Amino acid sequence: MSLHALISLLVTLAVFVVLQMRRGAPTDVLFMGGLMVVTLLGVVSPTEALAGFANPALLTVGALFVVAAGLQTTGVLDRIGQHLLGNARNTTSAMWRLSVVLAGTSAFVTNTAVVAMFVPVVLDWCRRRGISPSRLLIPVSYLAIMGGTCTLIGTSTNLIVNSLLKDQYQKEQFLVTQGDGHYESLPGFHEQLRQMSMFEIGKVGLPCTIVGACCLLLLRRRLLPNRTELLEQFDERRREYLVEMLVQPECRLVGKTVGEAGLRQLRGLFLIEISREDELITPVTPSDMIHAGDRLVFTGVVTTIVDLEKIPGLVPAADLSYEVHPHQRQQRHLTEVVLSSSSPLMGRTVRSANFRERYNAAVVAVHRNGTRLPRKIGDIELEPGDTLLLQTRHEFAPRYRHSRDFYLVADVEGSQPRRHHRAWLAAGLMLLLIVWLSLTSWLPDTSPLAGFASPAIAALAIAGLMVVSHCVAAAEARSVIDLQVLLTIAAALGLGQALTVSGAAEHIAGWLAGGTGAMVSSDSAAYPYVLLAVLYLLTVLFTETISNNAVAVMLFPIGVAMAAASGLNPRPFVMAIALAASMSFLTPIGYQTNLMVMGPGGYRPRDYLRAGWPVALLVGITAWILIPVFWPFEL
């Protein structure tokens, strides 16, 4: 092994070791540091080191963050979640629905965006049904991970691997070393390094998803913990508000019964009465019909009220000045304030307090020491210590945080208004992106339509349209782009290039091929299957400890070199890397979505190992069997 090969190998191993020794170490900083070392020591040129930052896949991933934000801010993902678990009665029904919708959604939307949207939906459903969220949140993460392997755009890992295939394919030929020191090309090897089509990886990804989902459905009672203490926390954290919601004519609840709308005796929310012109309906029964213009009076926790606000056409009615126009509401969000004894509002009713004139705010709901308040919020006389839920502009909190009028001012997390009037537009743009990306593999790069053949251009164009059409604000589009993910990918591409040009990847491939040959003769029919299993297992072990994208980048040249050294088709090995790099089920740190559900689900690291090993085993066996079926080993 040359000096440069040894340097690139040691630097790569050092990055892996530091990531294991120091769990909180920032992955982007470590990979960037490793890239700087191999560049300064001459392993790669500055041009080669920085080429990863101009990689089209990097731009595609960044653009998809914006597209996902557009779907979320317009309420498209919310509607999917509401229809998903609306009337599910138990965990079995919920799991079936989650399996279908989560896998289907994450095949076209980034996994983190899907999980971010479904976690509050599942938590709310669990709160209503009295079921511990620990029974469902690990499956939410796992199903999103598996669904992402069904299409080219389902996960950033697939996009990165596809970009690596394109780069490799653009080389004239892949030359393989012979024993006498000269190089020659393998017939047909080059053609197997072509780019993936939109649904190619789904040939194995979809069966793996079905097998993994069935495993979760059948074994969930044994695999998943039942943290009943989370239910107690739901009750301990309750701060019930009294809120009136006005049903506008365009609301989707009009014409439904209370039971059909899912608004009766829910955990964390209780419908007290319906006020309809001169009629007062109380107590409310599940068979009562909801009409346009109804005022629905609830007591509920703040998180539930935030969810009610996300239903199009259902707006708080405590203040007639409440913003209902979609464009105006984008400038407002919910804020909690606690009234002080020196507030000029003491002794006034909510109606006469003139919040709009005094604070440029509107009252949404009122809370007082957990006691039931008068049913008409406008008639409530305000007292010191009352907690009010207000609709405010963004400058309200910094302006009044130190005001003597309030003891406390705090923004409500997740209360940003949805752009419901843009929902159909956002959904149409997403559909256009799917169709466009499906066609890119059919358009040659040399045609006059070459611009349409680029996935990066497609994703950037749709992301730009999301911003121009006001599906997502420009400032929010910038904020949702995860720079840590992008920097890690770019730096890992540089380290992967160092492994390739230095010859380290070829040496590692030779060791793996030689070790496999020591177990099974290279002439045996079982040899390529063992080689595939070794590479898949190696990828899974690495992806459980570091970034899945980084693992795919680092092992791609090794997988191709292994195939070349053995005279085999490289495509099954590349597909194995793409699939295994995403299938992280054994640790919370292996995939970002696993970390996202850890806190809300009350999970411990061993819960992932207990729930994940049967899924990882069955999915791995499925992939190992099916990969050679769709991509044979022979050239």
Side-chain angles (χ1 to χ4, degrees):
M1 183 179 292
S2 67
L3 178 61
H4 281 175
L6 186 61
I7 290 172
S8 61
L9 183 59
L10 290 176
V11 169
T12 303
L13 288 175
V15 170
F16 285 179
V17 170
V18 172
L19 284 170
Q20 295 311 302
M21 299 295 291
R22 301 193 60 172
R23 295 293 187 184
T27 55
D28 54 339
V29 173
L30 285 175
F31 275 95
M32 287 290 292
L35 179 61
M36 293 302 100
V37 171
V38 295
T39 304
L40 292 173
L41 294 180
V43 179
V44 291
S45 67
T47 301
E48 290 172 323
L50 299 176
F53 291 90
N55 191 290
L58 201 69
L59 300 175
T60 306
V61 173
L64 287 177
F65 281 128
V66 178
V67 173
L71 295 175
Q72 193 161 21
T73 58
T74 56
V76 173
L77 297 183
D78 289 332
R79 292 188 182 186
I80 294 174
Q82 289 163 0
H83 289 296
L84 170 64
L85 294 177
N87 56 1
R89 299 295 180 186
N90 49 48
T91 54
T92 301
S93 175
M95 277 289 294
W96 276 107
R97 297 180 182 210
L98 286 170
S99 299
V100 175
V101 179
L102 265 171
T105 305
S106 60
F108 302 102
V109 183
T110 54
N111 299 339
T112 50
V114 172
V115 172
M117 187 278 295
F118 275 95
V119 165
V121 172
V122 171
L123 286 174
D124 182 58
W125 182 84
C126 290
R127 190 163 48 235
R128 296 175 181 179
R129 303 294 178 186
I131 296 172
S132 173
S134 64
R135 306 294 285 176
L136 288 175
L137 287 183
I138 276 182
V140 166
S141 176
Y142 288 1
L143 289 166
I145 289 171
M146 292 185 288
T149 64
C150 295
T151 69
L152 176 62
I153 64 171
T155 175
S156 56
T157 305
N158 295 347
L159 291 167
I160 295 300
V161 171
N162 192 52
S163 175
L164 295 171
L165 280 170
K166 181 180 180 180
D167 292 342
Q168 192 69 63
Y169 185 78
Q170 289 176 341
K171 296 180 180 179
E172 292 184 4
Q173 288 290 341
F174 192 96
L175 301 179
V176 183
T177 183
Q178 301 298 306
D180 56 3
H182 82 280
Y183 294 83
E184 67 178 30
S185 62
L186 290 172
F189 194 94
H190 178 257
E191 178 60 28
Q192 294 301 321
L193 294 172
R194 65 188 183 278
Q195 292 185 80
M196 287 187 275
S197 62
M198 180 67 169
F199 300 101
E200 182 180 5
I201 197 170
K203 296 175 182 178
V204 175
L206 181 58
C208 286
T209 301
I210 294 173
V211 169
C214 289
C215 176
L216 288 171
L217 283 164
L218 296 174
L219 303 178
R220 69 184 187 282
R221 296 185 184 278
R222 294 185 179 181
L223 300 180
L224 299 169
N226 185 20
R227 299 278 151 70
T228 55
E229 63 269 21
L230 293 175
L231 297 177
E232 298 172 2
Q233 291 176 16
F234 282 155
D235 291 329
E236 290 172 0
R237 295 174 184 174
R238 292 170 69 97
R239 180 166 62 255
E240 288 194 349
Y241 284 92
L242 186 71
V243 61
E244 290 181 52
M245 305 297 288
L246 176 64
V247 181
Q248 296 184 314
E250 67 273 17
C251 182
R252 62 179 175 82
L253 304 183
V254 173
K256 293 184 178 181
T257 65
V258 172
E260 291 171 344
L263 301 178
R264 175 64 178 166
Q265 292 182 340
L266 305 176
R267 195 179 186 94
L269 182 73
F270 186 81
L271 180 56
I272 301 173
E273 69 180 29
I274 299 176
S275 178
R276 181 179 302 150
E277 296 178 349
D278 297 331
E279 182 182 4
L280 189 65
I281 302 173
T282 183
V284 180
T285 67
S287 59
D288 286 324
M289 192 72 68
I290 298 174
H291 296 172
D294 283 354
R295 287 175 176 255
L296 311 180
V297 182
F298 296 92
T299 58
V301 293
V302 63
T303 53
T304 309
I305 295 171
V306 170
D307 292 337
L308 285 177
E309 267 214 320
K310 294 177 181 178
I311 300 176
L314 192 64
V315 298
D319 192 317
L320 295 178
S321 61
Y322 189 89
E323 300 285 9
V324 294
H325 190 276
H327 177 70
Q328 294 172 331
R329 288 197 64 210
Q330 300 313 310
Q331 306 172 34
R332 297 183 173 272
H333 63 287
L334 297 182
T335 302
E336 287 184 295
V337 300
V338 179
L339 297 180
S340 71
S341 56
S342 59
S343 172
L345 305 175
M346 293 303 97
R348 292 173 176 255
T349 64
V350 170
R351 184 176 293 108
S352 64
N354 294 324
F355 272 85
R356 172 69 65 184
E357 296 178 8
R358 190 182 297 270
Y359 301 110
N360 193 17
V363 178
V364 175
V366 180
H367 166 77
R368 179 178 296 164
N369 300 328
T371 60
R372 181 66 56 83
L373 297 171
R375 290 174 179 173
K376 292 298 181 183
I377 299 179
D379 297 332
I380 296 175
E381 288 191 5
L382 298 173
E383 298 178 2
D386 283 352
T387 304
L388 306 182
L389 192 63
L390 304 178
Q391 187 197 48
T392 67
R393 288 186 177 271
H394 294 284
E395 64 269 16
F396 179 90
R399 177 180 297 178
Y400 293 104
R401 181 162 285 133
H402 303 292
S403 170
R404 297 182 62 189
D405 294 358
F406 308 110
Y407 286 134
L408 175 69
V409 176
D411 291 331
V412 176
E413 185 177 355
S415 66
Q416 189 69 27
R418 294 292 192 248
R419 302 167 184 257
H420 292 296
H421 60 301
R422 301 287 182 183
W424 287 109
L425 179 58
L429 289 174
M430 184 63 202
L431 181 61
L432 175 61
L433 177 61
I434 294 170
V435 174
W436 190 345
L437 290 174
S438 300
L439 296 176
T440 53
S441 58
W442 298 93
L443 296 172
D445 293 339
T446 56
S447 73
L449 299 176
F452 290 91
S454 169
I457 295 298
L460 287 169
I462 299 301
L465 288 175
M466 284 281 189
V467 175
V468 171
S469 62
H470 301 292
C471 291
V472 60
E476 188 173 355
R478 298 186 192 100
S479 66
V480 298
I481 298 174
D482 194 328
L483 286 179
Q484 184 180 31
V485 170
L486 299 184
L487 289 174
T488 300
I489 294 172
L493 286 168
L495 276 180
Q497 182 71 1
L499 288 173
T500 302
V501 299
S502 67
E506 186 177 347
H507 280 285
I508 297 171
W511 295 338
L512 291 174
T516 305
M519 296 184 292
V520 182
S521 171
S522 59
D523 297 328
S524 171
Y527 175 76
Y529 288 92
V530 176
L531 202 61
L532 183 69
V534 169
L535 183 62
Y536 187 95
L537 182 61
L538 185 66
T539 308
V540 167
L541 292 177
F542 278 161
T543 203
E544 293 294 351
T545 57
I546 63 172
S547 163
N548 55 314
N549 292 319
V551 170
V553 170
M554 308 299 281
L555 292 185
F556 176 87
I558 296 174
V560 174
M562 281 175 59
S566 306
L568 298 171
N569 180 1
R571 205 159 188 83
F573 297 97
V574 170
M575 293 298 178
I577 291 172
L579 288 165
S582 294
M583 299 295 190
S584 177
F585 306 118
L586 303 179
T587 66
I589 64 172
Y591 208 91
Q592 187 172 353
T593 57
N594 288 345
L595 280 175
M596 290 170 68
V597 302
M598 189 173 184
Y603 295 121
R604 305 180 181 97
R606 66 173 180 270
D607 293 329
Y608 291 87
L609 182 61
R610 179 184 176 187
W613 77 262
V615 179
L617 179 62
L618 291 176
V619 166
I621 292 173
T622 303
W624 180 69
I625 293 172
L626 293 181
I627 285 175
V629 173
F630 294 104
W631 304 284
F633 290 118
E634 297 77 16
L635 285 169

